[in-house]
Amino acid sequence: MQITTVSDFRKDIKTYLDRVVKNFETLIINRGKDSGIVVMSLQEYNSLMATNHELSSRKNELRLDSAIEKLKSGMTMNKDLIED
């Protein structure tokens, strides 16, 4: 995570945005006491929204927890893809 001021961001906006996209970094632009802006790549944002959706219901959360436990304990199986 990077932190900068509005002034510094304005001076070198392209470099900051390139770093956010290239390195999947989150940039915080400090605007004063308890105020700021978060900049992240679209890919990172979409990932967060997908995770939020996956965990939006207790039922989904339990399914994911169960799948993670099965993966950790080695209770998985491999299947070949059907090719057309």
Side-chain angles (χ1 to χ4, degrees):
M1 176 185 341
Q2 283 189 296
I3 300 174
T4 190
T5 63
V6 173
S7 298
D8 287 342
F9 179 71
R10 194 178 301 130
K11 289 176 193 172
D12 206 6
I13 188 170
K14 184 181 179 332
T15 301
Y16 280 109
L17 295 179
D18 287 345
R19 277 190 217 150
V20 165
V21 172
K22 182 180 177 185
N23 301 327
F24 299 101
E25 289 185 14
T26 302
L27 173 65
I28 307 235
I29 303 171
N30 190 348
R31 298 188 72 201
K33 185 179 179 181
D34 298 328
S35 178
I37 306 293
V38 176
V39 178
M40 67 178 68
S41 70
L42 180 60
Q43 185 177 358
E44 187 70 18
Y45 174 79
N46 287 336
S47 176
L48 284 173
M49 291 299 104
T51 301
N52 187 45
H53 175 72
E54 298 278 333
L55 298 175
S56 63
S57 75
R58 182 71 178 140
K59 188 175 182 179
N60 279 351
E61 187 177 349
L62 292 173
R63 284 183 186 159
L64 286 170
D65 287 345
S66 174
I68 290 168
E69 286 304 314
K70 285 179 184 177
L71 184 63
K72 285 181 180 178
S73 67
M75 296 174 52
T76 60
M77 65 177 114
N78 293 327
K79 290 193 174 188
D80 293 329
L81 295 175
I82 299 173
E83 294 189 29
D84 294 330

